Each structure stands twice: as structure tokens, then as C-alpha cells.
Amino acid sequence: MVLFENVRFLDTTLRDGEQTPGVALTCEEKLWIARKLDEMGVHIIEAGSAITSEGERNAIRGITAEGLDSEICSYCRIMKQDVDYALECDVDSIHLVAPVSDLHINVKLKKDRQAVREMSTSVIEYAKDHGLIVEFSGEDASRADFDFLKSLYQDGIDAGADRLCYCDTVGMLVPEKTEAIFSELSSECSVPVSIHCHDDFGLSVSNTIAALKAGAGEAHMTINGIGERAGNTSLEEVVMILEWLYDHRTGIKSEEIYKTSRLVSRLTGIPVAINKSLVGGNAFTHEAGIHVHGLLADTSTYEPLKPEVLGRERKIVLGKHAGKSSVTLALKELGLEVDDSQLNEILTRVKEIGDHGKHVTDSDLQTIADTVLNIYRESRVKLKDFTIVSGNQVMPTASVRITVDGEEVVEADIGDGPVDAVVKGIRKAVSGIGDVQLEEYHVDAITGGTDALVEVRVKLSKDGKMVSSRGARTDIITASVEAVINAINQLMN
């Protein structure tokens, strides 16, 4: 038996996915998603349920009018009225859903099995007479009497159904049972059988793969696995499992997966979990030094596939777990080259921020690197240390110890605050080689989302020459000292 022969994908993001609490897509938003699904190569797009409202019908009409390659489908109950509304929208097919568990038949529909049988065959025949492709679906099939389900499916085939669907409506299947069910259904039914899973127990992807292995011809899924309660089967996971773990070519353009995931997340307002496989924010993000060291040698050491396959990029996050390899790779991405001593200093500062429970963004690293590179340039003035005394009842006082052209100088001064005091102390210490004036002082948080690092920017002048410099540290006073010392060295060179 050939695994996954002629497998097709039905995406129900626009129907089951939109049933996620709080989600309501406009006509234009539905069209944007439908275009992207079509571009990806999805075989069938369940565009909505035409019976829902006039707005829903307008959205479905807009999608069918687009002339997409994908088959466009509308969800229908086993009622002719639903089919009529679907016909108004000019869809290619209907997903005709009949309750098949006694719980759903008796409690929800308030009918009996025979009524469901008669309603189903009547509506299938009606839809076929009007030229529609019919996928006949058993709702809550995993809690239904299997013999009744099979006999209902056969009635559906006899009435003209083109495809059948087994719905695990509340996620009750396990892979072993799924495989047994679909082995039997695929061998006994003369039309393709689909699998539609929900993720209440976290098994929707596993059950979908098990069904496809056992002969299912189609899988129903949503982008990012969105849907009611715990959601539906995640399309991106099933596609990439088939492609990479079973070496089956699905026909889906995987490089469009991440863009589609982002689009759906943005339009629905449902964030993707940061640790979600393949499309989550951390899926191709690395911090630990040992991992990044391996990546530098061969990316496959800690990545099962290249991020470019999904239209993504690799990210290196710097924090307290960062090592030299992490920093080297991140600096390389920024186009910066450093020597060993500069690298050690940058790493020390990165870990200092990491110890505050923060991560270093690209802009953080750029500022840190620029600051360190300025420090390591040929400098006439070098800081040895400084001390600040400040409090409610104490005038802020700073003492500084620096070297000027190799000679140690110690000075102290007072100021309106600790920063003012230390800057005055530095200016006094270098007065022997020039009168330095502080023209501007500005402190700001680094853009990029971290509040652990501050950037101090200063403008200093001497004899009509003005320079700008900056310092970046977790401590505002240290950052100010660095900025001033860097600027002085620029003025003196």
C-alpha cells in the first residue's frame, strides 16, 4: 500500500476557525486569507456557512468571484434551505454535516436515526441535482455507533455523495483507534474518506496523521490550529510532518506557511503561542551558547529543518545563557567584527542584562557593541573607577580615578545629582589637557522592547569642536560616565 496517495487538504480557517470565540472576519479579511490559502496550494477552502447571514454570503460570493484554483466550499446542515443559500453563493461544493451520535441526534437535533438517514439522503440528492460536489460528514462520529455510521455513509454514497468525512467533534480519538477506523472505512467505502479532528486532548495532529496513514484521502485543518475550544488540526504541522518526516510531497508551498500564519493571527487577533511548533516565535530562535556553537558549525545540529523552508529567518536571542558563539553570530548578522577582548567585554555586558531577567535585542546589541568599540579605540583618557555618595541629607558627591596619557588623576566634585557630580569630577580630572564643556545630555530606553538597558547620549565641546557619544549600561550613572569618557577621547584625538 502506498502511504498518503492523492491526499487533499480542506482548510476550514474561514468557517471552523472563525468560530473561535471573539473572532469575526470582514468580507475583505476573508478574501485576503482565501487568496493566501489558494497561493499556498490548498485544495479546498471552506469559505464559511452560507446560511449564517447576508454578510457571510457576501464574503463567500467575493471568494467564489475571485476565480481561485482552490475548490470553494460552504458548510451546510442537512436542510435544503442551507443548500439553496450555498447555491446563491456559486460555490463548487458543500460540506454537508449530519449528527451521527445518539447524543447529537436525540439531544441536539431532537430526531431519531431514521430521520437523520432520510434527511441526509434527501439533501444529498437535492445538492447533486443542482450540480454541487457533496462531502457528506458525520458529526460526533467518534462517539457514534460504528455500524450505524457505516450504513449512513453507504446511504450517502448511494445518494451521490462524492466524499465522506469522519468528524472527531470533541477530540475523543486516539491514534491507534483512528488507524483501525480508517483502515476499515477506506477499504469499504467507494469514495474518499476525510478526517476532521479537534484538539481537546492535544491529539488532533496525531490522529490526522494516523487517519492519512490508514487510507484517508483528505484532511480538514486550520491555519495555526485555530477553532472552537482547543482548536482544530494545525495545517502547518500536518503538512510539514508529511513533507519532512514521511517524505511525502504535499503540493503545498511551504515557504508561504509563515506569512499565512502571521496574516491569520493578525486578522483574527489570536496570537500564536511563542513555543508553537514551526510558526511560533521561538521555533527558530536560539539562546543557549552550546546550541549556537553547534549552529555555527552546522545548522542541522539544533534545527530539524531550515527556517527558510517555511519562509522564516533564524534568530539569535542574547541573555544570561548566551555564550561567545551566540554573540559572535549575532554581531556577524549586524555586520560587526570584534577582537577577543572586545567580544569578552560585550559578552559580559550581555550577561549583566540577562541577569536582570531581560533579553538583548538587535538594537541593544548594536548600542553595546558601538560603546565597547569606542572604549577599545586608542584612548588618552581611561576610567579606573568612580564612587558616588548621595542621599536625602547628603549633597551628591563623586570621586573619580582616571588615567590621562598614562598618568593617574584623582578628583572629586559635587553636583545637583549623582550624574551631574560625576561628570563635573571627570571634567575637572581632564582639565590639564583641555577645558571640556557638556553641551547636551539625554537619556533614553533602547528601542526594541527591553527596559533593562539605558542609553545615554552626550554632546561635548572643546575649543569650538563638538562631538557626540553614547554609553549603554543597565546603570544610568555608569552609562553616563562611559558616554562622557568616549566623547572626551574623541575631542582629544
Side-chain angles (χ1 to χ4, degrees):
M1 178 181 173
V2 180
L3 287 179
F4 314 120
E5 190 172 10
N6 300 319
V7 171
R8 288 157 58 86
F9 301 127
L10 181 149
D11 184 278
T12 183
T13 301
L14 299 178
R15 198 275 301 174
D16 228 346
E18 197 191 18
Q19 290 176 198
T20 304
V23 175
L25 298 168
T26 66
C27 295
E28 188 177 19
E29 288 169 343
K30 280 201 164 196
L31 184 55
W32 288 345
I33 294 173
R35 286 174 182 150
K36 200 63 185 171
L37 294 172
D38 183 68
E39 184 182 350
M40 280 177 58
V42 168
H43 304 95
I44 307 160
I45 299 172
E46 190 170 29
S49 178
I51 189 68
T52 302
S53 67
E54 183 59 31
E56 181 84 337
R57 290 189 285 279
N58 286 335
I60 298 172
R61 289 188 195 104
I63 293 170
T64 57
E66 193 72 9
L68 304 177
D69 292 330
S70 302
E71 177 186 311
I72 308 302
C73 176
S74 173
Y75 176 95
C76 291
R77 300 167 298 174
I78 45 173
M79 299 178 68
K80 291 180 181 178
Q81 181 187 20
D82 287 35
V83 177
D84 288 335
Y85 277 121
L87 288 166
E88 284 184 20
C89 299
D90 199 28
V91 295
D92 302 303
S93 63
I94 59 169
H95 177 206
L96 184 66
V97 180
V100 293
S101 69
D102 289 331
L103 176 63
H104 276 227
I105 292 170
N106 299 329
V107 175
K108 190 182 84 167
L109 196 61
K110 300 189 185 304
K111 303 282 186 181
D112 57 25
R113 290 183 180 183
Q114 185 57 33
V116 168
R117 190 185 302 275
E118 292 170 358
M119 292 169 68
S120 298
T121 55
S122 175
V123 175
I124 291 170
E125 289 170 350
Y126 182 75
K128 292 304 297 179
D129 287 343
H130 287 79
L132 290 169
I133 299 168
V134 175
E135 181 157 334
F136 180 44
S137 195
E139 184 181 19
D140 203 27
S142 51
R143 293 191 292 184
D145 177 80
F146 194 46
D147 288 333
F148 168 67
L149 177 66
K150 288 195 295 181
S151 68
L152 184 64
Y153 279 163
Q154 188 56 56
D155 287 348
I157 294 171
D158 293 341
D162 301 278
R163 303 187 293 260
L164 305 173
C165 181
Y166 184 105
C167 292
D168 185 20
T169 303
V170 290
M172 299 291 285
L173 287 176
V174 294
E176 297 83 0
K177 184 176 181 181
T178 304
E179 188 167 358
I181 289 168
F182 276 85
S183 292
E184 189 168 338
L185 290 177
S186 61
S187 62
E188 293 184 8
C189 297
S190 58
V191 299
V193 185
S194 308
I195 178 72
H196 179 113
C197 291
H198 285 257
D199 204 37
D200 296 80
F201 285 89
L203 291 171
S204 61
V205 170
S206 298
N207 287 327
T208 297
I209 295 296
L212 294 174
K213 282 181 63 181
E218 182 187 302
H220 291 203
M221 299 172 287
T222 62
I223 299 296
N224 300 333
I226 65 171
E228 292 186 89
R229 304 185 313 281
N232 290 47
T233 303
S234 174
L235 181 141
E236 58 276 5
E237 293 176 18
V238 170
V239 167
M240 298 313 294
I241 287 169
L242 294 179
E243 292 268 359
W244 282 81
L245 304 185
Y246 288 96
D247 198 28
H248 170 73
R249 303 282 73 82
T250 62
I252 298 295
K253 295 177 183 176
S254 63
E255 66 274 13
E256 298 298 325
I257 284 177
Y258 186 62
K259 295 176 190 174
T260 309
S261 168
R262 295 294 90 199
L263 176 67
V264 169
S265 178
R266 178 170 62 84
L267 295 182
T268 60
I270 303 174
V272 175
I274 195 168
N275 63 333
K276 189 182 187 304
S277 59
L278 303 169
V279 294
N282 282 352
F284 294 95
T285 300
H286 307 271
E287 177 181 349
I290 189 171
H291 281 207
V292 179
H293 180 74
L295 288 172
L296 283 170
D298 186 339
T299 57
S300 65
T301 50
Y302 289 103
E303 288 178 349
L305 70 162
K306 292 182 182 297
E308 294 81 6
V309 171
L310 293 158
R312 300 199 61 174
E313 294 179 354
R314 181 178 300 107
K315 290 184 179 180
I316 305 300
V317 170
L318 301 178
K320 70 177 182 179
H321 300 114
K324 288 185 178 180
S325 297
S326 307
V327 175
T328 300
L329 186 56
L331 289 170
K332 185 178 178 182
E333 292 292 319
L334 294 174
L336 297 172
E337 292 186 7
V338 297
D339 60 28
D340 287 344
S341 58
Q342 292 165 343
L343 176 62
N344 288 334
E345 178 62 23
I346 292 170
L347 179 61
T348 297
R349 297 184 184 213
V350 167
K351 286 184 174 290
E352 179 184 348
I353 295 169
D355 285 338
H356 284 74
K358 305 296 180 181
H359 285 123
V360 175
T361 67
D362 287 348
S363 53
D364 294 338
L365 182 63
Q366 180 80 54
T367 300
I368 292 170
D370 287 347
T371 302
V372 170
L373 290 174
N374 279 329
I375 291 171
Y376 277 81
R377 290 190 179 105
E378 191 66 33
S379 303
R380 293 182 65 185
V381 178
K382 295 181 180 179
L383 176 72
K384 302 290 284 186
D385 56 55
F386 67 90
T387 303
I388 303 286
V389 177
S390 183
N392 290 336
Q393 305 299 319
V394 179
M395 175 70 74
T397 305
S399 64
V400 297
R401 188 162 63 101
I402 63 177
T403 60
V404 180
D405 294 330
E407 296 285 330
E408 185 173 295
V409 180
V410 178
E411 286 289 353
D413 212 326
I414 59 174
D416 293 333
V419 172
D420 186 45
V422 76
V423 171
K424 286 181 177 178
I426 294 170
R427 289 178 58 214
K428 185 184 290 187
V430 301
S431 60
I433 59 172
D435 181 21
V436 176
Q437 300 295 320
L438 177 65
E439 302 291 344
E440 288 185 21
Y441 175 88
H442 183 75
V443 62
D444 203 356
I446 301 295
T447 57
T450 175
D451 58 4
L453 193 69
V454 293
E455 179 184 50
V456 172
R457 287 178 281 134
V458 298
K459 280 187 180 179
L460 269 64
S461 66
K462 173 181 171 290
D463 300 331
K465 179 183 178 182
M466 186 176 295
V467 299
S468 298
S469 183
R470 60 184 177 178
R473 285 282 192 168
T474 55
D475 175 72
I476 189 173
I477 300 174
T478 306
S480 301
V481 169
E482 281 191 344
V484 170
I485 294 290
N486 288 343
I488 289 172
N489 278 309
Q490 291 180 56
L491 287 170
M492 300 303 174
N493 289 334

